[in-house]
Amino acid sequence: MSEVTAVPTHCPYCALQCGMSLRPTGDPELPAEVVDRTDFPVNRGALCGKGRTAPSVLSSRVRLTEPLVRCPDTGVLAPATWEEALAAVADGLRRTRADHGPDAVGVFGGGGLTNEKAYTLGKFARLVLGTSQIDYNGRFCMSSAAAAHGRAFGLDRGLPFPLEDIPKTGCVILVGSNLAETMPPALRYLTELKENGGKLIVIDPRRTRTAEQADLHLAPRPGTDLALALGMLHLVVSEGRVDEEFVAARTSGWEAARAGAMSHWPEQVERITGVPVPQIREAVALFSDAPTGMVLTARGPEQQSKGTDTVGAWINLCLATGKAGRPLSGYGCLTGQGNGQGGREHGQKADQLPGYRKLDDPAARAHVAGVWGVEPESLPGPGRSAYELLDALGGDVKTLLLMGSNPVVSAPRAAHVEERLRLLDFLAVADVVLSETAALADVVLPVTQWAEETGTMTNLEGRVLLRRRALTPPAGVRSDLEVLHALAGLLGWEKGFSADPEEVFEELRRASAGGPADYAGISYRRIEEEQGVFWPCPTPEHEGTPRLFLDRFATPDGRARFVPVVHRAAAEETDAEYPVVLTTGRVVSQYQSGAQTRRVDELNAAAPGPFVELHPRVAERLGVAEGERIAVVSRRGRAVAPARITTAIRPDTVFMPFHWAGEGRANTLVNPALDPVSRMPEFKVCAVRLEPVASGDATAG
């Protein structure tokens, strides 16, 4: 028998969307094996452990294969037919709309949904349900960077240049990112940067595996990145390092931004951040003296109640030194989720329509309404942001349709969000596994996974990619597009909701045409032939746009805008009762809420559970030894996990990964205080106290 052909596709996890191929095995326990795909330029064949083990979640042993409906008599989720399950969901949606109005129905999406699914989910919410109450978990990813990008450049795309440019620049400042664990295949770009003679500055309160690679590591107190950026800009000015020609020719607003920075003198910034002035001066010299340079941020500076201003301060540093809008220079955001970029571009975000159009823009509403065949006035206005929507569950929002997210683990103030979910009149969840959130649902719809469906994703570079179906899904599983098609029909919309992904993408092209994220010139054929196409790409003849802003910025006058910012404290500072700062993040062998990766034996062996990372001085003061259980207590709850003692973290800071549910759920603790612009919660900074745990005490909040 001839060998089965491997199908080229992409990893289901992070925003690198690494290329891989899948070869079907015919074994339901492990339906496919990964085959290296060295031709894809982003990862060039490299994969992390999550990517190599991704087929394990396709196993019939761990995934959902039939719908579940909660029995009213027993309260237990029990198998049901698709007809029964879909009818129950349609009845729940219809009943809530009739009794309480369309905005009593909420929709919550995910940053891992394909562009086609995100587009259809947004269309379904606004047309079929008529609700404004839709947002997605990508709000928790890069919304602060997106807002700052838009303010400064007039356009938000994670990276305005391809990853291949990073090794060729002169200096990279990496702020709040641990690429070695969050995106391991991307670490090679930093290694190549150093091999080429470039410099790497890493800013992180922990000495991570990524920080170990740096020429200079600055370890600020969590929540003070804004002050650090302002202090660096102060030195750029005072040391005469401003690129005056660039500032005059290609920017506006410099004087106000300069004044804001000059009020943050180095010694003051040292007191706020804990970073010594000589280190700040060294960072300024390395970055300013390099002929080209980039600042790359991730969740560290972004997941703060001042995240938009923090990112804005780093953008101001790029602009003042002339390191933006030029080859091999610029500001970029390292998007986290697989489709965090495309997922918000096409309509599942509370304030946006397809093509990255603003929902409150009359011209945008008219264009999209024309594609959908409805009147612009029929489209609801902007709704609540993600946390605000979750906080309203069981109150104004009575029913929720949720796709591809697990807020019981991933949301801030997670115990409160879990309580709100339990207060709903009706909850329907579409997922591939029985996540902690799905376990609370009235109806659970088992949907296809990445390898079992075709669709497009947009990676952190703005490169639109195609994932081709490689496997036939189990008989009891349907795609999210099929689910929305069926629900639309049951709710009176016989047309307009195709279950065919390529048909949906063709409509998405028309809806995005002329918008900031213009996909009109992109087709499935082009993506396959060109290893992805960079948006904006307005016509089939257009070559796509790998590098933005080289000629002009996307503002009305073509100039980048300095935005004046000043440092302000975190929403919750430490005090006598809560004297330590908690920050959260990821580990290499788990992903996001862990709903999928925690079902892979190999990954669990490498990262079996949560932990609390703390400095030896803190451990000694508490009398806690390595591996002993420790409680972390905030104003919102209590989490318990083993101690991991290391000098790689500041003595005033503790770290917890957020992948686990139960007593070690880190997001029980974090502060939902929101950035006023991006509505990003403050995941990365909250005040806590530490308590040793007596043997047998498993109490958690």
Side-chain angles (χ1 to χ4, degrees), residues 390-422:
L390 295 172
D391 190 41
L393 301 181
D396 293 343
V397 179
K398 310 291 186 183
T399 286
L400 184 69
L401 172 63
L402 185 147
M403 285 187 159
S405 187
N406 187 20
V408 166
V409 179
S410 64
R413 198 183 171 196
H416 171 72
V417 169
E418 181 177 347
E419 291 172 4
R420 304 310 301 182
L421 285 160
R422 293 180 184 276

Side-chain angles (χ1 to χ4, degrees), residues 275-309:
V275 179
V277 171
Q279 288 190 2
I280 303 174
R281 290 188 184 277
E282 183 181 358
V284 168
L286 286 173
F287 189 65
S288 299
D289 290 347
T292 55
M294 300 172 179
V295 173
L296 306 177
T297 68
R299 306 303 79 76
E302 297 165 19
Q303 286 182 326
Q304 298 184 30
S305 60
K306 53 183 181 293
T308 303
D309 283 356

Side-chain angles (χ1 to χ4, degrees), residues 113-135:
L113 300 181
T114 64
N115 290 316
E116 293 81 359
K117 293 178 187 179
Y119 172 83
T120 304
L121 187 61
K123 181 181 178 182
F124 179 86
R126 295 183 172 105
L127 293 194
V128 177
L129 300 178
T131 183
S132 67
Q133 300 303 301
I134 175 172
D135 210 72

Side-chain angles (χ1 to χ4, degrees), residues 86 170 207 385 414 539 548 623:
L86 289 169
R207 189 162 183 81
S385 70
T539 67
L548 297 169

Side-chain angles (χ1 to χ4, degrees), residues 15-16 42 142 145 149 153 155-166 172 174 179 183 186 189 294-299 302 329-335 341 344-345 458-463 534-536 545-549:
L16 285 179
V42 169
M142 57 179 292
H149 241 143
F153 305 130
L155 179 68
D156 160 47
R157 197 179 81 185
L159 295 181
F161 40 73
L163 285 160
E164 67 185 44
D165 284 2
I166 292 176
V172 169
L174 187 65
L179 275 180
M183 296 179 173
Y189 292 101
M294 300 172 179
V295 173
L296 306 177
T297 68
R299 306 303 79 76
E302 297 165 19
S329 291
Y331 163 76
C333 165
L334 299 171
T335 312
Q341 182 70 51
R344 71 180 182 284
E345 292 169 2
T458 306
N459 80 343
L460 76 171
E461 309 165 293
R463 187 194 302 253
F534 291 85
W535 70 261
T545 314
R547 295 170 182 86
L548 297 169
F549 313 138

Side-chain angles (χ1 to χ4, degrees), residues 67 78 99 134 221 247 315 383 400 404 425 443 530 559 590 638 676:
D99 292 346
I134 175 172
R221 177 182 169 90
V247 169
I315 291 175
L400 184 69
D425 292 349
V443 177
E530 301 173 26
R559 291 172 173 262
Q590 299 289 350
R638 183 173 187 261

Side-chain angles (χ1 to χ4, degrees), residues 4-11 20-26 30-35 37 55 58 448-455 466-474 528:
V4 177
T5 302
V7 178
T9 186
H10 296 272
C11 177
M20 60 165 64
S21 292
L22 286 182
R23 181 181 291 122
T25 64
L30 191 64
E33 60 180 359
V34 171
V35 179
R37 181 183 167 191
L58 299 167
T448 51
Q449 299 192 49
W450 56 288
E452 303 162 344
E453 59 188 15
T454 295
L466 180 63
R467 297 198 309 209
R468 284 286 189 190
R469 173 170 158 164
L471 302 171
T472 301
E528 286 189 303

Side-chain angles (χ1 to χ4, degrees), residues 71 170 206 224 259 348 365 390 423 538 575 580 636:
C71 176
R206 304 165 63 222
T224 64
Q348 64 171 333
R365 293 170 67 86
L390 295 172
L423 291 173
D575 57 21
V580 179
R636 288 152 296 280

